[in-house]
Amino acid sequence: MRGLALLFVIFFITLLETQTCELDKMGNGCRIFNGQCSCGYGCKSEFRYPNMDECRLAIAGGRHNACFRSTTCLHGGSCLQITSDPGFKCLCEGTGFFGPKCESPCPGPANTHYRGPFPYECVVI
């Protein structure tokens, strides 16, 4: 059940990101997600490689792979390679952490010291 909720959240985020691109910034491409190539259609900036062959070459070490380092995403976050700097995005949903590298613990309901909007990565469905 938890896996299904995480899949829904990732799908929803992908849908939101896809709809925020201007039409001339949309396109096909591939990226590395959890150590494997994932290809599809969406914002060009989300896809580092133009095709599956280039993506596989990156996994094999023939191209720069920002997700290759084991310390890219912390606390079990999933690394998603993108073209925008710094070349990756950490997906922290379901880890209990948030932040650019999943480094900050999610605020609990009794945490009165946390200021700012509640991180969407910390929402539990």
Side-chain angles (χ1 to χ4, degrees):
M1 184 69 170
R2 184 179 171 117
L4 183 60
L6 180 59
L7 184 61
F8 174 75
V9 169
I10 291 172
F11 171 77
F12 184 70
I13 291 169
T14 303
L15 183 64
L16 285 176
E17 288 176 356
T18 301
Q19 292 177 346
T20 61
C21 291
E22 296 177 22
L23 289 177
D24 63 332
K25 305 238 190 260
M26 301 286 286
N28 291 315
C30 298
R31 59 187 167 203
I32 297 173
F33 178 63
N34 279 342
Q36 298 194 9
C37 291
S38 173
C39 300
Y41 182 79
C43 295
K44 289 178 185 175
S45 65
E46 293 292 316
F47 299 109
R48 185 158 180 94
Y49 306 104
N51 56 50
M52 181 67 81
D53 291 337
E54 290 289 319
C55 186
R56 287 183 179 148
L57 188 59
I59 289 176
R63 297 273 189 270
H64 175 68
N65 177 357
C67 290
F68 185 72
R69 296 172 298 216
S70 61
T71 58
T72 303
C73 299
L74 305 172
H75 302 106
S78 297
C79 185
L80 181 67
Q81 194 169 31
I82 59 175
T83 58
S84 315
D85 281 332
F88 69 93
K89 177 171 39 174
C90 292
L91 302 176
C92 309
E93 293 84 357
T95 65
F97 291 84
F98 72 103
K101 292 187 174 185
C102 308
E103 72 280 0
S104 302
C106 287
N111 187 343
T112 58
H113 301 292
Y114 181 77
R115 299 287 182 247
F118 193 79
Y120 73 88
E121 298 96 330
C122 299
V123 173
V124 178
I125 298 176

